[in-house]
Amino acid sequence: MRESIDNGNSKIEYTDEGYRIEIPSKKQIFVTAFLIFWLMGWFIGEVTVLATLLSGDIQPFLLVWILGWTIGGGFALFIVLWMLFGKEVIISDGEYLRISKEILGIKQSKEYEIRSIKNLKVHVETQSMYRRRGLEYYGLSGGVLQFDYGMKTIKMGINIDEAEGRYLKDTVLRDLPSYTY
């Protein structure tokens, strides 16, 4: 069987803001389906305990439980929304590099002065899916592109592989400083 050429996950365009790279979240079907099923059970537990508390039967254990249960359900819902609708957006306007994570129009952005960026490189960690740290498993952090910004290493390009990372570094992000000391 012949293998077709993969054109990558990112969508690249030049806008008034500069280069815009849009990378959709990784669609993990099994994890998403499991979390949706889990959220159905979560909803039943949430409604049942809230009804108990609202009826006047306030027990300290239930107050603590509902707090943890609500936080857990909120996190699971966030992961499902990220996997279904999330995207990472990287914009380079020549002066700043803006990295955003967006879900259904709601975004969290960070901007970095391009002149303070050092050592842009493609870096792939070799570890199994069972050893990924925290939010990397869900595709919410990490990435194959990284750079030094002061005393911090910033990662981006969450859902792309090494070859696509090299392409973005060498073409779209080529104006960013990529030297090392």
Side-chain angles (χ1 to χ4, degrees):
M1 179 195 323
R2 286 191 183 157
E3 183 73 22
S4 62
I5 294 178
D6 187 354
N7 290 324
N9 292 325
S10 58
K11 179 179 147 190
I12 305 162
E13 60 185 352
Y14 190 78
T15 66
D16 294 337
E17 295 178 287
Y19 277 107
R20 177 185 168 90
I21 304 165
E22 191 173 295
I23 305 167
S25 62
K26 186 172 186 174
K27 309 302 185 231
Q28 297 185 48
I29 295 170
F30 176 75
V31 174
T32 305
F34 172 81
L35 286 174
I36 289 171
F37 179 74
W38 184 86
L39 280 167
M40 288 186 237
W42 169 87
F43 181 74
I44 293 168
E46 185 86 3
V47 169
T48 303
V49 172
L50 283 175
T52 302
L53 291 172
L54 292 174
S55 72
D57 186 13
I58 299 177
Q59 301 171 18
F61 169 76
L62 284 181
L63 289 172
V64 172
W65 184 88
I66 195 71
L67 178 65
W69 192 251
T70 302
I71 291 170
F75 180 72
L77 181 61
F78 175 74
I79 296 297
V80 168
L81 291 174
W82 171 256
M83 288 185 183
L84 293 175
F85 307 107
K87 62 185 171 184
E88 180 181 29
V89 177
I90 302 166
I91 297 174
S92 174
D93 67 3
E95 193 172 334
Y96 290 95
L97 180 71
R98 185 177 331 122
I99 304 170
S100 303
K101 293 185 179 78
E102 301 179 11
I103 302 173
L104 299 171
I106 300 169
K107 66 180 172 179
Q108 174 196 16
S109 297
K110 291 187 179 179
E111 283 190 355
Y112 305 93
E113 267 188 81
I114 286 179
R115 67 180 180 187
S116 298
I117 290 174
K118 308 276 190 264
N119 195 22
L120 174 67
K121 63 184 173 184
V122 176
H123 179 75
V124 178
E125 293 182 11
T126 55
Q127 56 186 358
S128 74
M129 70 178 246
Y130 303 108
R131 294 186 56 209
R132 286 189 182 172
R133 294 177 295 228
L135 298 176
E136 285 182 28
Y137 177 78
Y138 301 105
L140 284 163
S141 66
V144 301
L145 290 166
Q146 65 182 37
F147 60 87
D148 297 335
Y149 195 74
M151 300 300 272
K152 239 178 153 178
T153 300
I154 308 300
K155 296 180 180 183
M156 60 185 175
I158 293 172
N159 189 28
I160 59 176
D161 66 10
E162 191 175 351
E164 190 170 357
R166 276 193 300 276
Y167 172 80
L168 292 174
K169 177 186 175 282
D170 295 341
T171 57
V172 180
L173 300 172
R174 69 179 170 272
D175 298 329
L176 298 181
S178 59
Y179 55 86
T180 57
Y181 295 124

